[in-house]
Every structure is written in C-alpha cells, then in structure tokens.
Amino acid sequence: MQQQAVLLVDDEKYSSYSNTCTIFSSLKTLWFWTLPNLKSICVHPLDFPCLEEISVNECPKLKKLPLDTNSANNNTLREIVGSTEWWESLEWEDETIKSTFAPYFK
C-alpha cells in the first residue's frame, strides 16, 4: 500500500480564514510525533502569537516550519525540540530566518 505525503493545513482553505481572524491565536504547543508522511504544515508561514514550543519527532519528510521573519517577533517561543539531523535538514527561505530560530533549538 502506497502512502501519500500529508499537508496539515490546506493552504487554500487557510487563506480564506486568515483574512478575517487568527485561527491559531491561542495555540501554545505544536507537537508532531511519529508522522512519517507529514511533508508540510502549511505552504505559507502561519501566525502563532502565543506559541511557546514546537516539538518534532520521527517526521522525516517535514522539511519546512511555517515560520518567517514576522514569526521572529513572537516573544513567547521558548523552544524547538527535535533531532539534530532533522534540524539540519530543514529548508528555510533564507539563512537569516534559520539563525533567528537557532537559539530556540534543543
């Protein structure tokens, strides 16, 4: 049985909501564990004004986090947890974004 890669947030549906409200306005923790086919959370960066922690474990196809330079203004983020191998394999829009979030990686 062939398994398809998974996209967590449908970008088309999210964009219709994002203009009217912040869907993830109270979300504090993102945990992604043992999701071998999770390829993307969302194509575009998401707004997480209360996010404190991102934890990723056994999600080898997840290569991008929904973060950008605007996400760096989030003063609530405390940590990003995952394997060093996963962190090093992440793809970023530019190195500035990676270096901005590197201090949170554990």
Side-chain angles (χ1 to χ4, degrees):
M1 179 170 78
Q2 184 179 2
Q3 295 181 352
Q4 295 180 339
V6 176
L7 171 67
L8 188 62
V9 176
D10 184 318
D11 192 50
E12 196 173 296
K13 290 179 183 175
Y14 174 76
S15 63
S16 66
Y17 291 115
S18 66
N19 293 332
T20 59
C21 67
T22 303
I23 296 173
F24 303 110
S25 62
S26 298
L27 189 68
K28 292 185 178 189
T29 305
L30 285 174
W31 283 4
F32 302 105
W33 287 32
T34 317
L35 299 168
N37 294 314
L38 178 63
K39 184 177 180 181
S40 178
I41 296 166
C42 188
V43 176
H44 298 288
L46 299 173
D47 186 23
F48 299 109
C50 295
L51 189 63
E52 296 175 0
E53 178 185 358
I54 299 171
S55 183
V56 178
N57 185 22
E58 296 183 35
C59 302
K61 293 182 181 177
L62 182 61
K63 301 296 181 191
K64 285 187 140 190
L65 293 177
L67 305 172
D68 64 3
T69 52
N70 291 329
S71 307
N73 296 330
N74 172 358
N75 294 327
T76 61
L77 188 64
R78 292 191 326 245
E79 63 183 355
I80 300 172
V81 179
S83 71
T84 302
E85 180 180 318
W86 167 76
W87 177 258
E88 293 302 323
S89 72
L90 284 175
E91 299 168 3
W92 302 90
E93 292 299 318
D94 64 57
E95 285 299 310
T96 305
I97 299 170
K98 180 179 181 179
S99 63
T100 299
F101 290 100
Y104 300 103
F105 177 69
K106 299 179 184 201

